[in-house]
Amino acid sequence: MKSIKLLLAVVAIMFGSAAAQAGGPIKFGPKVGLTVNKLHFNQDVLNSDNQTGWTAGAMLEATVPIIGIGADLSVMYVRRNAEFMVANNIKDDNRDYIEIPLNLKYKFNLPVVSKFLVPYIGVGPSVSFLTSRKNIENAYKNKSVDWAMNFGVGVQLMSHLDINARYGLGLTKAVNTFSSATESAGIEGKNRYWTITLGYLF
């Protein structure tokens, strides 16, 4: 946990410094939301269903004036629930992460409307650090670090209220096998998830 806290502090300082040099407004605030997660396995022997979880944390946003290009950095506590079928048996895998998504975004400056409503699109990488159990039924394990690429859309209301929906495409293995009985099968799973958040920026 000490290494995670150090990493978060370093990333936040670097992001804040870059934002200040850009000369644009810097906003910060809390956000909460829901996640809909599915483990995508590379073999048909495992079937996973969508499961709902939750997330909560804080976001830092910086925007370059006039041109509408900016970025946001979040530190979120995420519960990703999963339920999958193995040999006709249902397995639960509820995982907790500290997630750090960094998104580049473009805000659409619409005449008149922008005073009240600003839509935007965003894309960027995300890294998640596992904080819950690793082993599942002595046959599968959750990886300690999970990388993903996020694609999202959102809208800011009255310059403060931020509503965002993004799709996370897992890039690395989130779950794989480690027992002698299943390791040779090469079974692995990657996260696929939707995250919908509501934030308030000061």
Side-chain angles (χ1 to χ4, degrees), residues 14-26 61-71:
M14 293 177 62
F15 182 82
S17 176
Q21 292 180 8
I26 300 175
E61 180 194 72
T63 305
V64 179
I66 303 176
I67 62 175
I69 296 176

Side-chain angles (χ1 to χ4, degrees), residues 95-141:
R95 292 158 294 148
D96 295 330
Y97 291 93
I98 298 294
E99 181 186 17
I100 309 174
L102 174 61
N103 296 299
L104 297 178
K105 59 171 57 174
Y106 177 77
K107 294 184 177 181
F108 296 92
N109 187 13
L110 305 176
V112 183
V113 180
S114 292
K115 293 183 178 180
F116 311 98
L117 184 151
V118 179
Y120 63 86
I121 56 175
V123 62
S126 173
V127 59
S128 299
F129 300 92
L130 185 71
T131 61
S132 58
R133 63 176 182 168
K134 292 187 177 182
N135 296 347
I136 313 169
E137 300 293 331
N138 294 319
Y140 302 90
K141 66 178 178 181

Side-chain angles (χ1 to χ4, degrees), residues 31-51:
K31 67 177 181 177
V32 297
L34 296 175
T35 65
V36 179
N37 183 79
K38 181 176 182 178
L39 280 171
H40 178 76
F41 289 95
N42 63 333
Q43 297 189 27
D44 293 335
V45 293
L46 299 179
N47 296 313
S48 175
D49 292 327
N50 289 329
Q51 296 291 315

Side-chain angles (χ1 to χ4, degrees), residues 39-43 45-46 82 84 86 91 93 95 97 130 133-146 171-191:
L39 280 171
H40 178 76
F41 289 95
N42 63 333
Q43 297 189 27
V45 293
L46 299 179
F84 52 92
V86 183
K91 306 295 183 182
D93 181 24
R95 292 158 294 148
Y97 291 93
L130 185 71
R133 63 176 182 168
K134 292 187 177 182
N135 296 347
I136 313 169
E137 300 293 331
N138 294 319
Y140 302 90
K141 66 178 178 181
N142 293 308
K143 304 295 287 185
S144 299
V145 180
D146 183 34
L171 302 177
T172 55
K173 293 184 291 185
V175 174
N176 66 354
T177 59
F178 72 94
S179 72
S180 58
T182 56
E183 189 170 13
S184 60
I187 299 171
E188 61 187 48
K190 295 181 180 180
N191 278 317

